[in-house]
Amino acid sequence: MADRVLEERELEIERLTKQLDYMEQELLEKYCDVGKFVLEKVERENREIDQLTDQVIKVKKELIKVKGEIRCPYCYQYNEPESIYCNRCGKKLEKKKLEEEDD
Ligand SMILES: [Zn+2]
């Protein structure tokens, strides 16, 4: 009788251990799925942010060019085309140096 109880106990331990292994494996797979999903989403968003940032820079440069703004050679601030002094650092804007800034 005692052997029978012991055997049943062993079987129950084995059954629970297998169930636990299975559930932990399933949990791990869920974590992997979420991680993969998040990483892919972040990568996609990053690419879109990079593209949008590039477009913003391009349009800003275009606007500066169309407005004829001049760049300070000392602090790189953009100034109105008719400016004589930089509106940030106050240094005199030299036409010769500013024209080299065209890129
Ligand atoms: Zn300046």
Side-chain angles (χ1 to χ4, degrees), residues 6-21:
L6 260 174
E7 195 179 306
E8 276 178 16
R9 192 172 157 264
E10 289 293 318
L11 284 172
E12 186 63 0
I13 289 171
E14 197 182 311
R15 189 185 68 79
L16 289 172
T17 305
K18 276 184 183 171
Q19 189 183 359
L20 196 60
D21 283 350

mmCIF file with all atom_site columns, all heavy atoms in Angstrom, residues 6-21:
data_model
loop_
_atom_site.group_PDB
_atom_site.id
_atom_site.type_symbol
_atom_site.label_atom_id
_atom_site.label_alt_id
_atom_site.label_comp_id
_atom_site.label_asym_id
_atom_site.label_entity_id
_atom_site.label_seq_id
_atom_site.pdbx_PDB_ins_code
_atom_site.Cartn_x
_atom_site.Cartn_y
_atom_site.Cartn_z
_atom_site.occupancy
_atom_site.B_iso_or_equiv
_atom_site.pdbx_formal_charge
_atom_site.auth_seq_id
_atom_site.auth_comp_id
_atom_site.auth_asym_id
_atom_site.auth_atom_id
_atom_site.pdbx_PDB_model_num
ATOM 1   N N   . LEU A 1 6  ? 3.504  5.975  -2.910  1.00 0.00 ? 6  LEU A N   1
ATOM 2   C CA  . LEU A 1 6  ? 4.775  6.558  -3.356  1.00 0.00 ? 6  LEU A CA  1
ATOM 3   C C   . LEU A 1 6  ? 4.847  6.672  -4.872  1.00 0.00 ? 6  LEU A C   1
ATOM 4   O O   . LEU A 1 6  ? 5.272  7.695  -5.426  1.00 0.00 ? 6  LEU A O   1
ATOM 5   C CB  . LEU A 1 6  ? 5.945  5.691  -2.870  1.00 0.00 ? 6  LEU A CB  1
ATOM 6   C CG  . LEU A 1 6  ? 6.676  6.182  -1.617  1.00 0.00 ? 6  LEU A CG  1
ATOM 7   C CD1 . LEU A 1 6  ? 7.694  5.152  -1.177  1.00 0.00 ? 6  LEU A CD1 1
ATOM 8   C CD2 . LEU A 1 6  ? 7.359  7.522  -1.882  1.00 0.00 ? 6  LEU A CD2 1
ATOM 9   N N   . GLU A 1 7  ? 4.364  5.622  -5.536  1.00 0.00 ? 7  GLU A N   1
ATOM 10  C CA  . GLU A 1 7  ? 4.376  5.592  -6.997  1.00 0.00 ? 7  GLU A CA  1
ATOM 11  C C   . GLU A 1 7  ? 3.477  6.684  -7.583  1.00 0.00 ? 7  GLU A C   1
ATOM 12  O O   . GLU A 1 7  ? 3.849  7.369  -8.530  1.00 0.00 ? 7  GLU A O   1
ATOM 13  C CB  . GLU A 1 7  ? 3.913  4.210  -7.469  1.00 0.00 ? 7  GLU A CB  1
ATOM 14  C CG  . GLU A 1 7  ? 4.226  3.936  -8.935  1.00 0.00 ? 7  GLU A CG  1
ATOM 15  C CD  . GLU A 1 7  ? 3.773  2.545  -9.354  1.00 0.00 ? 7  GLU A CD  1
ATOM 16  O OE1 . GLU A 1 7  ? 4.178  1.564  -8.678  1.00 0.00 ? 7  GLU A OE1 1
ATOM 17  O OE2 . GLU A 1 7  ? 3.005  2.466  -10.331 1.00 0.00 ? 7  GLU A OE2 1
ATOM 18  N N   . GLU A 1 8  ? 2.298  6.827  -6.959  1.00 0.00 ? 8  GLU A N   1
ATOM 19  C CA  . GLU A 1 8  ? 1.365  7.869  -7.410  1.00 0.00 ? 8  GLU A CA  1
ATOM 20  C C   . GLU A 1 8  ? 1.959  9.266  -7.214  1.00 0.00 ? 8  GLU A C   1
ATOM 21  O O   . GLU A 1 8  ? 1.782  10.158 -8.041  1.00 0.00 ? 8  GLU A O   1
ATOM 22  C CB  . GLU A 1 8  ? 0.032  7.749  -6.657  1.00 0.00 ? 8  GLU A CB  1
ATOM 23  C CG  . GLU A 1 8  ? -0.899 6.731  -7.305  1.00 0.00 ? 8  GLU A CG  1
ATOM 24  C CD  . GLU A 1 8  ? -2.217 6.549  -6.551  1.00 0.00 ? 8  GLU A CD  1
ATOM 25  O OE1 . GLU A 1 8  ? -2.545 7.410  -5.701  1.00 0.00 ? 8  GLU A OE1 1
ATOM 26  O OE2 . GLU A 1 8  ? -2.895 5.550  -6.813  1.00 0.00 ? 8  GLU A OE2 1
ATOM 27  N N   . ARG A 1 9  ? 2.654  9.415  -6.110  1.00 0.00 ? 9  ARG A N   1
ATOM 28  C CA  . ARG A 1 9  ? 3.297  10.702 -5.807  1.00 0.00 ? 9  ARG A CA  1
ATOM 29  C C   . ARG A 1 9  ? 4.375  11.018 -6.867  1.00 0.00 ? 9  ARG A C   1
ATOM 30  O O   . ARG A 1 9  ? 4.466  12.145 -7.361  1.00 0.00 ? 9  ARG A O   1
ATOM 31  C CB  . ARG A 1 9  ? 3.916  10.631 -4.405  1.00 0.00 ? 9  ARG A CB  1
ATOM 32  C CG  . ARG A 1 9  ? 4.348  11.967 -3.867  1.00 0.00 ? 9  ARG A CG  1
ATOM 33  C CD  . ARG A 1 9  ? 4.771  11.878 -2.412  1.00 0.00 ? 9  ARG A CD  1
ATOM 34  N NE  . ARG A 1 9  ? 5.641  12.967 -2.086  1.00 0.00 ? 9  ARG A NE  1
ATOM 35  C CZ  . ARG A 1 9  ? 6.984  12.887 -2.106  1.00 0.00 ? 9  ARG A CZ  1
ATOM 36  N NH1 . ARG A 1 9  ? 7.550  11.751 -2.346  1.00 0.00 ? 9  ARG A NH1 1
ATOM 37  N NH2 . ARG A 1 9  ? 7.718  13.934 -1.836  1.00 0.00 ? 9  ARG A NH2 1
ATOM 38  N N   . GLU A 1 10 ? 5.168  9.991  -7.189  1.00 0.00 ? 10 GLU A N   1
ATOM 39  C CA  . GLU A 1 10 ? 6.202  10.156 -8.218  1.00 0.00 ? 10 GLU A CA  1
ATOM 40  C C   . GLU A 1 10 ? 5.594  10.563 -9.560  1.00 0.00 ? 10 GLU A C   1
ATOM 41  O O   . GLU A 1 10 ? 6.087  11.462 -10.241 1.00 0.00 ? 10 GLU A O   1
ATOM 42  C CB  . GLU A 1 10 ? 6.987  8.838  -8.406  1.00 0.00 ? 10 GLU A CB  1
ATOM 43  C CG  . GLU A 1 10 ? 7.904  8.477  -7.257  1.00 0.00 ? 10 GLU A CG  1
ATOM 44  C CD  . GLU A 1 10 ? 9.066  9.441  -7.115  1.00 0.00 ? 10 GLU A CD  1
ATOM 45  O OE1 . GLU A 1 10 ? 9.650  9.830  -8.148  1.00 0.00 ? 10 GLU A OE1 1
ATOM 46  O OE2 . GLU A 1 10 ? 9.371  9.840  -5.968  1.00 0.00 ? 10 GLU A OE2 1
ATOM 47  N N   . LEU A 1 11 ? 4.480  9.906  -9.911  1.00 0.00 ? 11 LEU A N   1
ATOM 48  C CA  . LEU A 1 11 ? 3.802  10.208 -11.169 1.00 0.00 ? 11 LEU A CA  1
ATOM 49  C C   . LEU A 1 11 ? 3.251  11.638 -11.189 1.00 0.00 ? 11 LEU A C   1
ATOM 50  O O   . LEU A 1 11 ? 3.325  12.327 -12.201 1.00 0.00 ? 11 LEU A O   1
ATOM 51  C CB  . LEU A 1 11 ? 2.661  9.206  -11.418 1.00 0.00 ? 11 LEU A CB  1
ATOM 52  C CG  . LEU A 1 11 ? 3.079  7.817  -11.893 1.00 0.00 ? 11 LEU A CG  1
ATOM 53  C CD1 . LEU A 1 11 ? 1.882  6.871  -11.906 1.00 0.00 ? 11 LEU A CD1 1
ATOM 54  C CD2 . LEU A 1 11 ? 3.724  7.853  -13.271 1.00 0.00 ? 11 LEU A CD2 1
ATOM 55  N N   . GLU A 1 12 ? 2.711  12.038 -10.036 1.00 0.00 ? 12 GLU A N   1
ATOM 56  C CA  . GLU A 1 12 ? 2.164  13.400 -9.937  1.00 0.00 ? 12 GLU A CA  1
ATOM 57  C C   . GLU A 1 12 ? 3.276  14.443 -10.075 1.00 0.00 ? 12 GLU A C   1
ATOM 58  O O   . GLU A 1 12 ? 3.111  15.465 -10.751 1.00 0.00 ? 12 GLU A O   1
ATOM 59  C CB  . GLU A 1 12 ? 1.424  13.549 -8.599  1.00 0.00 ? 12 GLU A CB  1
ATOM 60  C CG  . GLU A 1 12 ? 0.684  14.856 -8.409  1.00 0.00 ? 12 GLU A CG  1
ATOM 61  C CD  . GLU A 1 12 ? -0.457 15.106 -9.407  1.00 0.00 ? 12 GLU A CD  1
ATOM 62  O OE1 . GLU A 1 12 ? -0.712 14.253 -10.287 1.00 0.00 ? 12 GLU A OE1 1
ATOM 63  O OE2 . GLU A 1 12 ? -1.076 16.176 -9.315  1.00 0.00 ? 12 GLU A OE2 1
ATOM 64  N N   . ILE A 1 13 ? 4.405  14.160 -9.451  1.00 0.00 ? 13 ILE A N   1
ATOM 65  C CA  . ILE A 1 13 ? 5.562  15.069 -9.556  1.00 0.00 ? 13 ILE A CA  1
ATOM 66  C C   . ILE A 1 13 ? 6.010  15.179 -11.012 1.00 0.00 ? 13 ILE A C   1
ATOM 67  O O   . ILE A 1 13 ? 6.252  16.282 -11.527 1.00 0.00 ? 13 ILE A O   1
ATOM 68  C CB  . ILE A 1 13 ? 6.734  14.588 -8.649  1.00 0.00 ? 13 ILE A CB  1
ATOM 69  C CG1 . ILE A 1 13 ? 6.374  14.812 -7.170  1.00 0.00 ? 13 ILE A CG1 1
ATOM 70  C CG2 . ILE A 1 13 ? 8.030  15.308 -9.001  1.00 0.00 ? 13 ILE A CG2 1
ATOM 71  C CD1 . ILE A 1 13 ? 7.343  14.191 -6.181  1.00 0.00 ? 13 ILE A CD1 1
ATOM 72  N N   . GLU A 1 14 ? 6.081  14.033 -11.683 1.00 0.00 ? 14 GLU A N   1
ATOM 73  C CA  . GLU A 1 14 ? 6.501  14.015 -13.086 1.00 0.00 ? 14 GLU A CA  1
ATOM 74  C C   . GLU A 1 14 ? 5.521  14.798 -13.971 1.00 0.00 ? 14 GLU A C   1
ATOM 75  O O   . GLU A 1 14 ? 5.924  15.595 -14.820 1.00 0.00 ? 14 GLU A O   1
ATOM 76  C CB  . GLU A 1 14 ? 6.594  12.571 -13.553 1.00 0.00 ? 14 GLU A CB  1
ATOM 77  C CG  . GLU A 1 14 ? 7.393  12.404 -14.831 1.00 0.00 ? 14 GLU A CG  1
ATOM 78  C CD  . GLU A 1 14 ? 7.427  10.953 -15.284 1.00 0.00 ? 14 GLU A CD  1
ATOM 79  O OE1 . GLU A 1 14 ? 7.727  10.085 -14.454 1.00 0.00 ? 14 GLU A OE1 1
ATOM 80  O OE2 . GLU A 1 14 ? 7.134  10.707 -16.465 1.00 0.00 ? 14 GLU A OE2 1
ATOM 81  N N   . ARG A 1 15 ? 4.223  14.585 -13.695 1.00 0.00 ? 15 ARG A N   1
ATOM 82  C CA  . ARG A 1 15 ? 3.195  15.261 -14.484 1.00 0.00 ? 15 ARG A CA  1
ATOM 83  C C   . ARG A 1 15 ? 3.264  16.783 -14.302 1.00 0.00 ? 15 ARG A C   1
ATOM 84  O O   . ARG A 1 15 ? 3.245  17.543 -15.270 1.00 0.00 ? 15 ARG A O   1
ATOM 85  C CB  . ARG A 1 15 ? 1.804  14.753 -14.059 1.00 0.00 ? 15 ARG A CB  1
ATOM 86  C CG  . ARG A 1 15 ? 0.661  15.222 -14.942 1.00 0.00 ? 15 ARG A CG  1
ATOM 87  C CD  . ARG A 1 15 ? -0.695 14.808 -14.412 1.00 0.00 ? 15 ARG A CD  1
ATOM 88  N NE  . ARG A 1 15 ? -1.043 15.488 -13.164 1.00 0.00 ? 15 ARG A NE  1
ATOM 89  C CZ  . ARG A 1 15 ? -1.510 16.752 -13.083 1.00 0.00 ? 15 ARG A CZ  1
ATOM 90  N NH1 . ARG A 1 15 ? -1.675 17.451 -14.187 1.00 0.00 ? 15 ARG A NH1 1
ATOM 91  N NH2 . ARG A 1 15 ? -1.792 17.288 -11.921 1.00 0.00 ? 15 ARG A NH2 1
ATOM 92  N N   . LEU A 1 16 ? 3.383  17.201 -13.046 1.00 0.00 ? 16 LEU A N   1
ATOM 93  C CA  . LEU A 1 16 ? 3.448  18.641 -12.756 1.00 0.00 ? 16 LEU A CA  1
ATOM 94  C C   . LEU A 1 16 ? 4.720  19.269 -13.323 1.00 0.00 ? 16 LEU A C   1
ATOM 95  O O   . LEU A 1 16 ? 4.689  20.400 -13.832 1.00 0.00 ? 16 LEU A O   1
ATOM 96  C CB  . LEU A 1 16 ? 3.357  18.881 -11.249 1.00 0.00 ? 16 LEU A CB  1
ATOM 97  C CG  . LEU A 1 16 ? 1.987  18.625 -10.614 1.00 0.00 ? 16 LEU A CG  1
ATOM 98  C CD1 . LEU A 1 16 ? 2.066  18.699 -9.096  1.00 0.00 ? 16 LEU A CD1 1
ATOM 99  C CD2 . LEU A 1 16 ? 0.938  19.594 -11.143 1.00 0.00 ? 16 LEU A CD2 1
ATOM 100 N N   . THR A 1 17 ? 5.829  18.532 -13.242 1.00 0.00 ? 17 THR A N   1
ATOM 101 C CA  . THR A 1 17 ? 7.091  19.038 -13.782 1.00 0.00 ? 17 THR A CA  1
ATOM 102 C C   . THR A 1 17 ? 6.992  19.258 -15.286 1.00 0.00 ? 17 THR A C   1
ATOM 103 O O   . THR A 1 17 ? 7.415  20.289 -15.815 1.00 0.00 ? 17 THR A O   1
ATOM 104 C CB  . THR A 1 17 ? 8.255  18.074 -13.454 1.00 0.00 ? 17 THR A CB  1
ATOM 105 O OG1 . THR A 1 17 ? 8.298  17.872 -12.048 1.00 0.00 ? 17 THR A OG1 1
ATOM 106 C CG2 . THR A 1 17 ? 9.580  18.620 -13.932 1.00 0.00 ? 17 THR A CG2 1
ATOM 107 N N   . LYS A 1 18 ? 6.389  18.265 -15.980 1.00 0.00 ? 18 LYS A N   1
ATOM 108 C CA  . LYS A 1 18 ? 6.219  18.391 -17.429 1.00 0.00 ? 18 LYS A CA  1
ATOM 109 C C   . LYS A 1 18 ? 5.307  19.564 -17.777 1.00 0.00 ? 18 LYS A C   1
ATOM 110 O O   . LYS A 1 18 ? 5.582  20.333 -18.699 1.00 0.00 ? 18 LYS A O   1
ATOM 111 C CB  . LYS A 1 18 ? 5.630  17.099 -18.016 1.00 0.00 ? 18 LYS A CB  1
ATOM 112 C CG  . LYS A 1 18 ? 6.665  16.048 -18.302 1.00 0.00 ? 18 LYS A CG  1
ATOM 113 C CD  . LYS A 1 18 ? 6.039  14.841 -18.966 1.00 0.00 ? 18 LYS A CD  1
ATOM 114 C CE  . LYS A 1 18 ? 7.082  13.757 -19.192 1.00 0.00 ? 18 LYS A CE  1
ATOM 115 N NZ  . LYS A 1 18 ? 6.480  12.503 -19.637 1.00 0.00 ? 18 LYS A NZ  1
ATOM 116 N N   . GLN A 1 19 ? 4.229  19.708 -16.999 1.00 0.00 ? 19 GLN A N   1
ATOM 117 C CA  . GLN A 1 19 ? 3.277  20.801 -17.232 1.00 0.00 ? 19 GLN A CA  1
ATOM 118 C C   . GLN A 1 19 ? 3.970  22.152 -17.049 1.00 0.00 ? 19 GLN A C   1
ATOM 119 O O   . GLN A 1 19 ? 3.796  23.073 -17.840 1.00 0.00 ? 19 GLN A O   1
ATOM 120 C CB  . GLN A 1 19 ? 2.104  20.669 -16.260 1.00 0.00 ? 19 GLN A CB  1
ATOM 121 C CG  . GLN A 1 19 ? 0.963  21.618 -16.570 1.00 0.00 ? 19 GLN A CG  1
ATOM 122 C CD  . GLN A 1 19 ? -0.165 21.528 -15.553 1.00 0.00 ? 19 GLN A CD  1
ATOM 123 O OE1 . GLN A 1 19 ? -0.125 20.748 -14.611 1.00 0.00 ? 19 GLN A OE1 1
ATOM 124 N NE2 . GLN A 1 19 ? -1.176 22.345 -15.746 1.00 0.00 ? 19 GLN A NE2 1
ATOM 125 N N   . LEU A 1 20 ? 4.763  22.212 -16.004 1.00 0.00 ? 20 LEU A N   1
ATOM 126 C CA  . LEU A 1 20 ? 5.492  23.445 -15.708 1.00 0.00 ? 20 LEU A CA  1
ATOM 127 C C   . LEU A 1 20 ? 6.497  23.769 -16.820 1.00 0.00 ? 20 LEU A C   1
ATOM 128 O O   . LEU A 1 20 ? 6.582  24.920 -17.276 1.00 0.00 ? 20 LEU A O   1
ATOM 129 C CB  . LEU A 1 20 ? 6.206  23.290 -14.361 1.00 0.00 ? 20 LEU A CB  1
ATOM 130 C CG  . LEU A 1 20 ? 6.708  24.570 -13.702 1.00 0.00 ? 20 LEU A CG  1
ATOM 131 C CD1 . LEU A 1 20 ? 5.553  25.517 -13.433 1.00 0.00 ? 20 LEU A CD1 1
ATOM 132 C CD2 . LEU A 1 20 ? 7.418  24.234 -12.392 1.00 0.00 ? 20 LEU A CD2 1
ATOM 133 N N   . ASP A 1 21 ? 7.244  22.769 -17.272 1.00 0.00 ? 21 ASP A N   1
ATOM 134 C CA  . ASP A 1 21 ? 8.202  22.963 -18.379 1.00 0.00 ? 21 ASP A CA  1
ATOM 135 C C   . ASP A 1 21 ? 7.500  23.507 -19.610 1.00 0.00 ? 21 ASP A C   1
ATOM 136 O O   . ASP A 1 21 ? 7.968  24.453 -20.256 1.00 0.00 ? 21 ASP A O   1
ATOM 137 C CB  . ASP A 1 21 ? 8.874  21.637 -18.744 1.00 0.00 ? 21 ASP A CB  1
ATOM 138 C CG  . ASP A 1 21 ? 9.960  21.253 -17.744 1.00 0.00 ? 21 ASP A CG  1
ATOM 139 O OD1 . ASP A 1 21 ? 10.309 22.114 -16.900 1.00 0.00 ? 21 ASP A OD1 1
ATOM 140 O OD2 . ASP A 1 21 ? 10.458 20.114 -17.809 1.00 0.00 ? 21 ASP A OD2 1
#
